[in-house]
């Protein structure tokens, strides 16, 4: 991938984080930690990987994205607004009465959202069904899914993980936001997952583990995954919950859903604005 594309994607990720803080500040609370940790993969997908069209969000020949950890909706909304799927002003209505941007992804309300999610554990099954449907329609597009690591404690994830290789879904690429923290504490304390890498591999998936807060690594991993034939790909993203905003990252599991007072939002925005200076 060209250096300029990587640089623009890194900048895009910072912009997504800024718009996440904007949304949660307006609302006063929200899922800050997990939104910030997936900003880089969402920026990579909409910054050059996915074949999508803001002017025609429902075009048949498009790539699909299922954000199974639906509470990361504000990060996806930020990317969609920045790419022109809907007006930026909508971001100020997050989770308010009459909004088209509920706190979790809603495919019936928001342009560019391919699937309603939020009940954790179901998204990989939905993504696998989409991928199988594309094959039945002889379409060459790809379905991407983003799971939380805590979400991988759900049994339905592993039912889908068994089915996807069985049906040869090489048009399915699954990311796991491996930030190692869930609502109630560290993933390994709540319900140990042991090696997710080896689990996916043993289920028949092509598996990689990369720095999930580095777009260059994400682009390279997707490029490699797309060379696989006859089986799906899993990419474990080593991330930091709250990445980009040091005060939020320091909160650990307390950042999963948190208050966002104006003073904290100002400090986070100042930190992100400082990061933006390297792209000027």
């Amino acid at each position: 991938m060209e250096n300029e594309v990587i640089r623009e994607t890194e900048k895009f990720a910072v912009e997504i984080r800024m718009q996440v803080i904007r949304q949660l500040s307006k609302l006063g609370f929200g899922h800050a930690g997990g939104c910030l940790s997936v900003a880089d993969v969402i920026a990579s997908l909409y910054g050059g990987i996915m074949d999508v069209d803001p002017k025609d969000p429902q075009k048949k020949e498009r790539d699909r994205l299922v954000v199974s950890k639906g509470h990361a909706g504000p990060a996806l909304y930020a990317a969609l607004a920045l790419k022109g799927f809907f007006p930026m002003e909508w971001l100020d209505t997050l989770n308010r009465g009459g909004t088209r941007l509920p706190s979790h992804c809603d495919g019936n309300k928001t342009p560019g959202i391919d699937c309603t999610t939020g009940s954790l554990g179901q998204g990989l099954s939905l993504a696998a069904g989409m991928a199988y449907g594309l094959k039945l329609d002889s379409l060459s597009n790809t379905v991407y899914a983003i799971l939380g690591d805590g979400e991988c404690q759900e049994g339905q994830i592993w039912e889908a993980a068994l089915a996807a290789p069985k049906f040869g879904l090489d048009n399915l690429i699954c990311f796991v936001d491996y930030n190692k923290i869930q609502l109630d504490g560290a993933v390994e304390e709540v319900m140990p997952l042991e090696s997710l890498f080896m689990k996916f591999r043993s289920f028949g998936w092509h598996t990689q583990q990369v720095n999930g807060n580095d777009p260059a690594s994400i682009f390279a991993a997707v490029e490699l995954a797309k060379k696989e034939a006859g089986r799906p790909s899993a990419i474990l993203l080593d991330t930091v919950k709250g990445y980009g905003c040091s005060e939020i990252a320091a909160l650990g599991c307390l950042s999963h859903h948190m208050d966002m007072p104006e003073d904290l939002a100002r400090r986070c925005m100042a930190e992100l604005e400082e990061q933006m200076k390297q792209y000027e």
Side-chain angles (χ1 to χ4, degrees):
M1 183 57 62
E2 296 180 4
N3 290 335
E4 185 59 30
V5 173
I6 297 299
R7 181 178 173 82
E8 285 301 311
T9 303
E10 291 173 350
K11 179 182 178 182
F12 186 25
V14 179
E15 292 173 329
I16 289 172
R17 291 187 170 97
M18 294 176 77
Q19 295 305 323
V20 166
I21 299 300
R22 167 187 171 181
Q23 293 172 81
L24 301 189
S25 177
K26 286 281 185 179
L27 187 60
F29 56 86
H31 293 93
C35 285
L36 296 172
S37 62
V38 297
D40 297 289
V41 66
I42 290 176
S44 299
L45 289 170
Y46 287 92
I49 293 174
M50 289 181 66
D51 178 5
V52 292
D53 183 358
K55 296 179 181 178
D56 187 8
Q58 293 298 314
K59 75 172 183 177
K60 187 175 182 180
E61 297 82 5
R62 73 183 191 279
D63 292 338
R64 273 80 167 169
L65 173 63
V66 177
V67 180
S68 188
K69 48 172 286 180
H71 53 279
L76 181 52
Y77 300 155
L80 293 172
L82 288 163
K83 286 296 180 180
F85 281 82
F86 52 80
M88 291 292 294
E89 292 74 21
W90 286 20
L91 297 179
D92 294 332
T93 72
L94 176 71
N95 209 24
R96 297 179 182 274
T99 187
R100 295 186 65 179
L101 306 181
S103 63
H104 292 62
C105 298
D106 190 324
N108 296 312
K109 292 185 176 181
T110 312
I113 299 291
D114 292 308
C115 186
T116 299
T117 55
S119 184
L120 295 177
Q122 298 180 8
L124 189 57
S125 297
L126 294 164
M130 288 181 178
Y132 191 41
L134 288 174
K135 281 190 172 291
L136 292 175
D137 288 340
S138 300
L139 294 174
S140 60
N141 299 96
T142 302
V143 179
Y144 299 90
I146 300 176
L147 312 181
D149 48 4
E151 180 181 10
C152 291
Q153 296 159 348
E154 295 278 0
Q156 187 173 337
I157 293 293
W158 301 104
E159 293 179 48
L162 279 172
K166 151 74 176 176
F167 293 104
L169 301 183
D170 49 13
N171 59 341
L172 173 61
I173 297 177
C174 170
F175 300 99
V176 179
D177 181 25
Y178 192 36
N179 60 39
K180 306 163 192 69
I181 298 173
Q182 61 188 94
L183 173 63
D184 295 324
V187 171
E188 291 306 295
E189 294 176 359
V190 176
M191 184 59 66
L193 291 168
E194 302 302 333
S195 174
L196 275 176
F197 182 94
M198 293 307 298
K199 276 188 170 66
F200 273 100
R201 174 170 285 187
S202 69
F203 275 60
W205 291 60
H206 174 253
T207 309
Q208 303 173 73
Q209 188 161 349
V210 302
N211 181 349
N213 294 131
D214 175 42
S217 298
I218 296 168
F219 272 101
V222 171
E223 184 177 359
L224 187 60
K226 285 195 169 186
K227 294 178 180 178
E228 281 295 309
R231 60 175 176 165
S233 290
I235 301 173
L236 307 186
L237 302 173
D238 272 315
T239 61
V240 174
K241 196 154 189 167
Y243 187 85
C245 297
S246 56
E247 286 189 60
I248 295 176
L251 293 174
C253 67
L254 296 179
S255 74
H256 183 86
H257 189 280
M258 58 180 285
D259 290 337
M260 183 61 66
E262 291 185 6
D263 57 340
L264 174 59
R266 282 196 297 269
R267 293 194 297 274
C268 289
M269 289 296 281
E271 186 175 359
L272 292 165
E273 287 167 358
E274 188 65 28
Q275 294 171 29
M276 284 293 287
K277 290 181 179 179
Q278 64 184 302
Y279 303 108
E280 295 176 352

